[in-house]
Amino acid sequence: MTEQEERVFIAVKHSPLATQQELADRLNMSRESIAGHIMRLIRSGHILGKGYIIPQQDTLLVIGGCNLDINGSPLNPMKPHDSNPGIIQQSAGGVGRNIAENIVRLGNQIHFLSIVGQDSSGDWLLEKSRQCGITTQDIIRHPDFNTSTYLSINDENGELVSAIADMKIIDALDSRMLENKMPLLQSTQRILIEANLAQSTIEWLADLPLQADFYADAVSAIKAPRLRPLLPKLSLLKVNRDEARMLLDISPSSSITDDQLAQNCLDKGVQAVLLSLGSEGVLFKNQDSSLVVPVFPTTPISDTGAGDALFAGFIHVQNKEWSLEEKLSFAVACAGITLESEYANDPKISETNVLDWIKSKQNI
């Protein structure tokens, strides 16, 4: 940033709604010169364009899916190949959106970059996002695709039996669309992506000369390999055992410990790994530390969104002066609360409520 650009940047920061002529008069510069400096500041990511928005220094950018979730659960033990009386609910979901909502509810500011259709489902998702505090200015509306829909069926214990995901629209969130968001990408210090993004989109992001720390969620075993180009840039990777094996091209029949799985990820250039062990807890590993924490006792209603809450909870406490065990316990608690909720994103999640929930479980 040149000296003149810094003067303009400071003036914009103090008066983001000022016109270019007002800025020119204040700085004793021509309006044309102000316009040129602002354009260069936008291109460099110091301001975000329309409205001269100044990026937050530690704001997280989440890039991922925004889905309409439809979930069915039987009232009695599941009978396959038959009609089961139960409950069907509609909610806002998508791995990226779930993570974004949980992080916002925990008291953080984020940017959420996603795509929905120009349909009633897209309208509903945007409104639900606004209601929970997610800004929707970076959610793109696509005229040719339906909004992503995720249809899941759980058994009587709340565990997933099967699901169908209609997510063709996420492939449209390609490099051409993301290039229009370059000021946001360049100005963000932390970027979280999830493997629902197209392989080509992830490769394009991996090749960008960005200074941000990258976080990634592997989403599923079949999609986890999409993250391979990004591994050397990852500050934090969240996977489960099956996802890690697919990501690392390790046979399901291979004898390998959880710690070895995590270490193999580190050997690929990942700085830290959050390995979900399901009902056995979670393993965190980097070059300096390795720790497993167990889950809390819960009565699950649905496991949809639990892994997303786990990741969001750990991101929330990353910069806190807590012990590693306390941070991991907080993340596991976020997942536990979500397991006990009928929603993929429990509306009661907050830092205070999570800490109170941990105390209640420790007193059992």
Side-chain angles (χ1 to χ4, degrees):
M1 190 186 302
T2 67
E3 182 179 346
Q4 290 290 73
E5 287 171 352
E6 186 173 6
R7 291 182 63 209
V8 173
F9 176 78
I10 292 172
V12 166
K13 188 174 182 179
H14 288 164
S15 302
L17 298 180
T19 65
Q20 292 182 357
Q21 189 58 58
E22 289 170 339
L23 293 171
D25 294 342
R26 187 176 308 165
L27 298 175
N28 195 26
M29 299 168 64
S30 68
R31 191 198 63 78
E32 292 77 10
S33 179
I34 291 289
H37 290 312
I38 286 175
M39 182 58 68
R40 285 186 287 276
L41 288 168
I42 291 174
R43 287 173 179 167
S44 64
H46 287 96
I47 59 179
L48 303 184
K50 186 177 180 181
Y52 306 144
I53 302 167
I54 308 299
Q56 298 288 333
Q57 282 302 301
D58 198 33
T59 297
L60 174 71
L61 169 62
V62 178
I63 308 175
C66 187
N67 299 348
L68 174 66
D69 281 355
I70 301 174
N71 174 257
S73 299
L75 296 174
N76 303 304
M78 175 72 74
K79 294 181 179 180
H81 315 296
D82 199 358
S83 176
N84 291 265
I87 299 172
I88 297 175
Q89 294 179 315
Q90 174 177 303
S91 60
V95 172
R97 193 200 169 282
N98 288 346
I99 294 171
E101 177 170 343
N102 280 299
I103 291 175
V104 167
R105 290 192 181 279
L106 289 169
N108 307 278
Q109 291 185 325
I110 66 154
H111 293 287
F112 179 46
L113 178 49
S114 189
I115 187 168
V116 297
Q118 289 184 346
D119 50 22
S120 58
S121 295
D123 294 339
W124 187 83
L125 282 171
L126 289 178
E127 181 57 29
K128 284 294 182 181
S129 297
R130 295 187 192 103
Q131 288 176 3
C132 74
I134 297 175
T135 57
T136 60
Q137 65 185 25
D138 293 307
I139 300 179
I140 300 166
R141 305 298 298 266
H142 200 291
D144 300 326
F145 292 99
N146 295 328
T147 295
S148 291
T149 302
Y150 178 77
L151 174 64
S152 62
I153 296 177
N154 293 340
D155 64 16
E156 66 277 10
N157 297 315
E159 295 183 359
L160 182 67
V161 174
S162 187
I164 297 175
D166 179 0
M167 300 184 65
K168 294 184 292 293
I169 193 172
I170 195 69
D171 291 338
L173 193 60
D174 55 16
S175 58
R176 180 182 58 84
M177 283 195 171
L178 290 177
E179 278 179 346
N180 295 326
K181 300 292 184 178
M182 191 59 72
L184 178 59
L185 291 168
Q186 291 173 329
S187 67
T188 305
Q189 293 185 336
R190 297 184 297 161
I191 299 176
L192 186 153
I193 72 167
E194 43 113 331
N196 279 311
L197 295 175
Q199 175 79 47
S200 58
T201 302
I202 294 174
E203 290 174 353
W204 181 80
L205 286 165
D207 288 338
L208 288 179
L210 302 177
Q211 301 302 313
D213 291 331
F214 276 95
Y215 305 156
D217 190 312
V219 176
S220 68
I222 196 169
K223 294 178 180 178
R226 298 179 184 181
L227 296 177
R228 287 172 185 164
L230 198 62
L231 293 181
K233 287 192 170 184
L234 285 184
S235 296
L236 180 61
L237 169 66
K238 182 252 176 185
V239 287
N240 63 27
R241 288 164 171 148
D242 291 338
E243 293 162 357
R245 285 177 178 269
M246 288 292 290
L247 179 62
L248 299 166
D249 198 21
I250 296 174
S251 169
S253 60
S254 172
S255 177
I256 185 171
T257 67
D258 296 328
D259 192 77
Q260 288 171 331
L261 267 181
Q263 183 60 52
N264 284 358
C265 292
L266 299 183
D267 293 341
K268 295 291 185 180
V270 178
Q271 294 181 26
V273 179
L274 195 65
L275 178 62
S276 174
L277 309 177
S279 61
E280 298 171 44
V282 63
L283 163 67
F284 173 86
K285 188 174 180 65
N286 61 18
Q287 296 294 1
D288 301 318
S289 305
S290 181
L291 180 65
V292 175
V293 299
V295 299
F296 293 94
T298 59
T299 305
I301 295 176
S302 170
D303 62 0
T304 301
D308 306 329
L310 173 83
F311 201 15
F314 189 73
I315 290 170
H316 171 69
V317 297
Q318 263 197 314
N319 295 325
K320 290 187 177 293
E321 294 183 358
W322 296 1
S323 69
L324 178 57
E325 183 176 4
E326 289 172 327
K327 292 178 180 180
L328 291 173
S329 293
F330 185 92
V332 168
C334 288
I337 289 173
T338 305
L339 283 170
E340 293 187 332
S341 173
E342 59 185 313
Y343 305 106
N345 303 284
D346 192 296
K348 299 187 296 297
I349 273 192
S350 68
E351 182 176 308
T352 298
N353 288 347
V354 173
L355 293 175
D356 288 343
W357 187 89
I358 292 173
K359 291 178 182 177
S360 71
K361 295 297 181 178
Q362 289 172 337
N363 293 329
I364 294 178

